[in-house]
Amino acid sequence: MMQDLSKQQPLGGETALVVFSGGQDSATCLAWSLARFGRVLTLGFDYGQRHRVELDCRRRVRDALAALSPRWAERLGEDVLLTLDTYRESGQNALTPAGTATDAAPLGATAADGLPNTFVPGRNLLFGLQAAIWAYEKNIRHLVLGVCQSDSSGYPDCRDDSIKALQLALNLGMDAHYVLHTPLMWLDKCGAWQLAEQLGGAALVDAIVEESHTCYAGERGVRHDWGYGCGQCPACRLRARGYAAYKAACAASSPLETPRA
Ligand code: ZN
């Protein structure tokens, strides 16, 4: 059953801008924002990612979340898609067409710099900056990012220190008062599913499973209990592991004994 979080909303009069890819993490962040802010906009980026399926899922996730609650539907504002050419023009990365992932170096393999070859350098810093720029004239100060330090494949721009430094740089450099919200920062993927359940019950978990997209290979043909994906890439393995842990935690917390009279 969906919690009525509206009664504990100190931010009901404010607007949030969610950096929204259509993946599990940003879908959960969108729900988190809809439960807190009076108005919520979504911002996505076409930066030359290998698969456009992620972009196609954005609208379906938005529609699915709006369908869960009239209040959420009312709060959900416009969706914006910005084109970033930086990676197309200079990127050498697994998730962009000019990338280095091949049969010889599969997705997730460790590159020469010690990071997974799925790391897109500076991506979250660039997204945060672009979000701040877009929000500036509209006086939107709440920016929501689905980054996560605990279970993030080791991407340095997902770390708490990186995001705190970005917030400081934005506020100093733009003489602004942005607040960068990162509701998933200290959660693992199991915790992210549990957060979704707290926010919107089993219906939200089901909507995220069905409509969000995480797979690096762009696979939408094969449906697992945790959603669509190849099942082999690092993102699928992380998502599958987290969902299994979430289900196991649910089973463990279910009352198995008959309550005593
Ligand atoms: Zn996959």
Side-chain angles (χ1 to χ4, degrees):
M1 181 173 159
M2 187 175 296
Q3 292 182 0
D4 183 3
L5 295 171
S6 62
K7 294 189 178 70
Q8 51 192 46
Q9 305 306 324
L11 301 171
E14 306 221 15
T15 299
L17 179 64
V18 181
V19 173
F20 181 62
S21 70
Q24 177 192 346
D25 290 344
S26 65
T28 306
C29 284
L30 177 55
W32 181 89
S33 303
L34 288 167
R36 275 164 185 74
F37 296 94
R39 189 157 172 264
V40 179
L41 312 181
T42 53
L43 177 65
F45 299 97
D46 180 353
Y47 60 96
Q49 50 268 64
R50 177 182 289 193
H51 302 289
R52 298 193 58 84
V53 60
E54 194 179 273
L55 295 178
D56 298 336
C57 287
R58 297 176 72 256
R59 183 182 51 77
R60 293 208 300 273
V61 172
R62 278 174 50 96
D63 290 349
L65 266 57
L68 291 178
S69 155
R71 181 177 285 119
W72 286 12
E74 196 179 294
R75 290 174 171 178
L76 184 58
E78 70 179 293
D79 180 43
V80 180
L81 188 66
L82 299 181
T83 300
L84 300 177
D85 286 328
T86 310
Y87 292 112
R88 254 185 287 257
E89 293 170 359
S90 66
Q92 286 292 314
N93 186 277
L95 299 187
T96 57
T100 55
T102 62
D103 290 341
L107 289 169
T110 302
D113 57 9
L115 292 165
N117 64 0
T118 48
F119 174 61
V120 180
R123 175 170 49 178
N124 288 298
L125 302 178
L126 183 59
F127 287 179
L129 173 61
Q130 296 286 333
I133 292 169
W134 195 87
Y136 187 85
E137 288 294 337
K138 295 162 188 69
N139 294 317
I140 297 171
R141 69 188 189 100
H142 298 283
L143 309 178
V144 185
L145 299 159
V147 292
C148 169
Q149 175 156 340
S150 323
D151 209 354
S152 66
S153 311
Y155 299 158
D157 61 340
C158 291
R159 293 176 191 151
D160 194 47
D161 281 350
S162 302
I163 301 301
K164 284 196 166 78
L166 176 63
Q167 175 175 289
L168 182 62
L170 293 173
N171 287 335
L172 291 175
M174 298 169 76
D175 197 14
H177 298 91
Y178 293 111
V179 182
L180 270 55
H181 299 270
T182 55
L184 307 182
M185 182 60 78
W186 302 110
L187 299 179
D188 56 17
K189 284 279 185 272
C190 172
W193 288 114
Q194 288 172 330
L195 175 60
E197 186 182 316
Q198 288 165 18
L199 291 165
L204 177 59
V205 172
D206 291 346
I208 293 174
V209 166
E210 186 63 28
E211 304 297 357
S212 74
H213 183 83
T214 307
C215 176
Y216 286 150
E219 172 65 52
R220 288 297 289 179
V222 183
R223 174 67 153 80
H224 311 264
D225 58 348
W226 45 265
Y228 295 91
C230 71
Q232 303 299 319
C233 75
C236 279
R237 290 203 302 267
L238 194 60
R239 179 161 164 158
R241 200 166 62 232
Y243 190 78
Y246 161 65
K247 282 299 183 189
C250 288
S253 64
S254 296
L256 296 174
E257 297 176 12
T258 306
R260 289 178 187 153

